[in-house]
Amino acid sequence: MNVSAFLDDLRMRFPNEPEYLQAVEEVVSSIADIYDRYPAFSNVNLLERLCIPDRIIAFRVSWVNDKGRVCNNMGYRVQHNNAIGPYKGGIRFHSSVNLSILKFLAFEQTFKNSLTTLAMGGAKGGSDFSPRGKSDMEIMRFCQAFVNELWRQIGPDTDVPAGDIGVGAREVGYMFGWYKKMTREFTGTFTGKGLDFGGSLIRPEATGYGNVYFLLNMLATRGIELAGKKVAISGSGNVALYTAEKLISLGAKVVSFSDSDGSIVCPDGFTEEEFREIFDLKTLYRGRIREFAEAHPERATYYNRERPWRHVACDIAMPSATQNELDGDDARALLAAGCFAVSEGANMPSTPEAIREFRKARILYAPGKAANAGGVSVSGLEMAQNSQKLKWTAEEVDSRLKEIMADIHSQCVQHGTDEDGYIDYVRGANTAAFLKVARAMMAQGVV
Ligand code: NDP
Ligand code: 2IT
């Protein structure tokens, strides 16, 4: 396969979609060899069908704010690929949302879901609506207007949305409520639901916990203990907070958090009590991370409009906020300070230059599609429980999550180990994920 000709063609057709092109380039570059080994793939133009989404739904969402004014946002659902199961992936509400970002996320989701061992295709949706500063009633009206457009396109065996940035239990609850009203059916069409109406135990924790389980598998390949290690985290949302909770419970030292306004750093690690305060600040009060540093100036330093990476020495970095939040300079600063492992909680948080630095330095580097797959995995387990009309215990879900993360790690090792023994998790994850989806697409013909 001529990788550069393939990418040039996509660039010409989708010139204004940099995030989408970035995600595709990473995958295509790492599967080119294996793709060429099977000429049957190119005979049916499989790669192009795998990179271009099956379907994109776009719509206007009109809703009324608390002042009685009508506001208009864009809404989207990108149904990328359903070769191995129903479309599955989160919904993002953030002012930055556009088609390029949702196409990259849906593309990544297809590969991630393939790794989970469960039957889920890939999708992503969202809106440029910003929940920041909105009242509960405004959020509810927006969610209802969004689902009013989307409900015909989704279903328990068709497409199952969940949360992502700006969409947590509150938003999923409102969306599920309106979906149920429109369909007059109680089904498992959303995951991340409240525990009283079909939600799974451990789903809120799953992405963060899963990332720590994946990290433990990576560290074990080098005989390294987690206890006592300093871990820099970005973000302070769902993924970041549960990553920190698990890390602290295992004796690691969490030295940073951030939000879209700035970062807080505590070089000797937040105590469990301090973490609880941060957790409540972000979840109960929906506050800003700076408020913790203002309340405890002796414990934490606040860096306005800055990411944490250049402000703290750490052994391990777990970027858990958003895409392209760790660039080449950040990567060099982390490496210079002794960082030897990076496990991505966010989707595509490291820029291509940062990834090149990590791989060149031969540190442990896990891409999000492997490391953060715990969230969608437990979503898959929520779907299974909903179908059975049963509820599993927290212990059962957590132990299945651990097994799935270990399995994903094994797939990376199987397909990504270099001749010198270095595990290239990027190549491993992309190859394993690609092969499964490709086999399913081949078997199903040109559809
Ligand atoms: P949340 O909305 O709960 O938290 C997002 C966090 O990132 C917040 O701290 C937010 O700050 C910060 N953030 C968001 N956008 C930006 C930005 N443009 N610049 C800097 N900081 C930003 O989302 P999640 O924790 O669910 O998601 C975080 C990442 O993890 C995303 O990349 C998501 O795609 C990925 N992910 C999520 C999964 C899940 O199950 N939720 C599963 C797998 C991956 P602020 O508070 O200021 O908005
Ligand atoms: O990026 C992701 O994997 C998610 N936001 C979770 C998707 C899901 O369907 O649980």
Side-chain angles (χ1 to χ4, degrees):
M1 180 205 350
N2 184 336
V3 174
S4 53
F6 178 82
L7 293 172
D8 281 347
D9 178 60
L10 277 195
R11 275 185 208 110
M12 234 161 57
R13 292 160 80 178
F14 308 108
N16 303 316
E17 300 183 355
E19 292 87 1
Y20 167 65
L21 294 167
Q22 179 184 337
V24 170
E25 180 166 359
E26 184 219 272
V27 169
V28 171
S29 318
S30 69
I31 58 153
D33 287 350
I34 196 122
Y35 192 79
D36 286 340
R37 236 179 276 161
Y38 302 93
F41 289 162
S42 60
N43 292 345
V44 294
N45 211 347
L46 185 99
L47 192 61
E48 204 170 270
R49 286 195 285 130
L50 183 53
C51 291
I52 298 177
D54 288 355
R55 189 172 302 105
I56 297 174
I57 299 139
F59 45 91
R60 171 173 47 77
V61 185
S62 295
W63 57 283
V64 182
N65 73 10
D66 286 347
K67 295 189 181 118
R69 211 181 129 235
V70 175
C71 306
N72 300 303
N73 288 98
M74 281 307 296
Y76 308 92
R77 185 74 177 165
V78 179
Q79 295 179 333
H80 190 86
N81 186 293
N82 66 352
I84 63 171
Y87 298 112
K88 177 82 194 92
I91 300 264
R92 179 177 291 193
F93 291 163
H94 192 268
S95 54
S96 63
V97 163
N98 58 37
L99 207 46
S100 171
I101 289 177
L102 295 179
K103 278 178 69 179
F104 116 66
L105 288 163
F107 174 80
E108 288 272 300
Q109 197 80 45
T110 300
F111 289 79
K112 182 193 307 191
N113 293 3
S114 169
L115 293 171
T116 63
T117 73
L118 306 172
M120 298 181 290
K124 202 85 186 191
S127 172
D128 57 2
F129 169 79
S130 170
R132 199 167 162 174
K134 303 289 192 301
S135 70
D136 271 7
M137 286 296 108
E138 288 178 320
I139 302 273
M140 183 186 79
R141 287 194 293 273
F142 176 79
C143 288
Q144 294 180 339
F146 182 82
V147 170
N148 219 22
E149 280 297 322
L150 191 62
W151 71 274
R152 284 186 191 79
Q153 319 285 346
I154 58 179
D157 298 313
T158 310
D159 183 351
V160 182
D164 192 76
I165 291 178
V167 177
R170 174 182 62 170
E171 290 75 15
V172 168
Y174 291 148
M175 287 194 278
F176 176 77
W178 196 256
Y179 178 78
K180 193 187 59 167
K181 185 178 171 77
M182 298 310 287
T183 57
R184 304 189 182 187
E185 277 177 357
F186 195 111
T187 62
T189 297
F190 283 81
T191 61
K193 300 183 290 297
L195 292 179
D196 296 325
F197 53 96
S200 176
L201 287 159
I202 306 292
R203 177 60 189 90
E205 296 87 346
T207 312
Y209 282 18
N211 194 10
V212 176
Y213 299 153
F214 194 90
L215 173 72
L216 288 169
N217 278 282
M218 282 208 295
L219 294 178
T221 66
R222 296 193 179 177
I224 299 170
E225 293 278 316
L226 176 63
K229 298 294 179 299
K230 291 189 169 182
V231 187
I233 294 180
S234 63
S236 49
N238 171 274
V239 178
L241 292 172
Y242 286 108
T243 300
E245 183 180 83
K246 182 56 80 178
L247 286 169
I248 292 170
S249 78
L250 295 173
K253 294 179 177 165
V254 171
V255 293
S256 67
F257 289 104
S258 68
D259 59 22
S260 46
D261 294 342
S263 304
I264 56 170
V265 166
C266 172
D268 51 324
F270 296 101
T271 63
E272 193 154 355
E273 237 180 11
E274 289 166 344
F275 167 69
R276 282 288 141 210
E277 196 177 323
I278 293 168
F279 189 95
D280 289 350
L281 168 70
K282 294 303 293 190
T283 56
L284 293 182
Y285 307 114
R286 297 183 188 270
R288 311 308 304 161
I289 204 73
R290 124 176 68 75
E291 293 172 45
F292 180 85
E294 283 166 1
H296 305 277
E298 74 297 347
R299 289 290 297 151
T301 310
Y302 180 65
Y303 296 93
N304 195 33
R305 303 249 152 250
E306 302 235 14
R307 305 182 288 223
W309 318 121
R310 296 181 216 179
H311 295 294
V312 66
C314 65
D315 304 301
I316 298 163
M318 301 180 86
S320 307
T322 192
Q323 65 276 354
N324 291 325
E325 54 156 328
L326 196 165
D327 64 18
D329 288 337
D330 296 326
R332 284 183 283 276
L334 283 169
L335 292 168
C339 174
F340 58 76
V342 177
S343 201
E344 294 183 342
N347 287 307
M348 207 168 76
S350 307
T351 64
E353 191 189 349
I355 298 172
R356 275 195 294 279
E357 293 291 339
F358 295 146
R359 290 163 95 184
K360 197 169 77 191
R362 310 232 24 101
I363 65 163
L364 297 167
Y365 165 68
K369 64 170 79 69
N372 73 33
V376 74
S377 298
V378 175
S379 278
L381 301 181
E382 182 170 325
M383 289 164 71
Q385 293 169 77
N386 292 165
S387 302
Q388 291 180 306
K389 303 209 163 22
L390 288 175
K391 198 174 183 77
W392 303 342
T393 62
E395 290 71 29
E396 169 145 21
V397 179
D398 196 33
S399 94
R400 284 178 185 256
L401 171 62
K402 275 186 195 147
E403 271 170 36
I404 291 171
M405 298 316 293
D407 193 303
I408 296 172
H409 185 267
S410 304
Q411 295 177 60
C412 294
V413 172
Q414 186 190 340
H415 293 280
T417 305
D418 289 346
E419 275 173 13
D420 65 359
Y422 175 69
I423 303 164
D424 182 340
Y425 287 89
V426 174
R427 182 163 54 84
N430 286 336
T431 308
F434 164 73
L435 284 173
K436 180 172 171 186
V437 179
R439 279 195 304 267
M441 288 176 73
M442 292 301 290
Q444 292 170 32
V446 178
V447 290

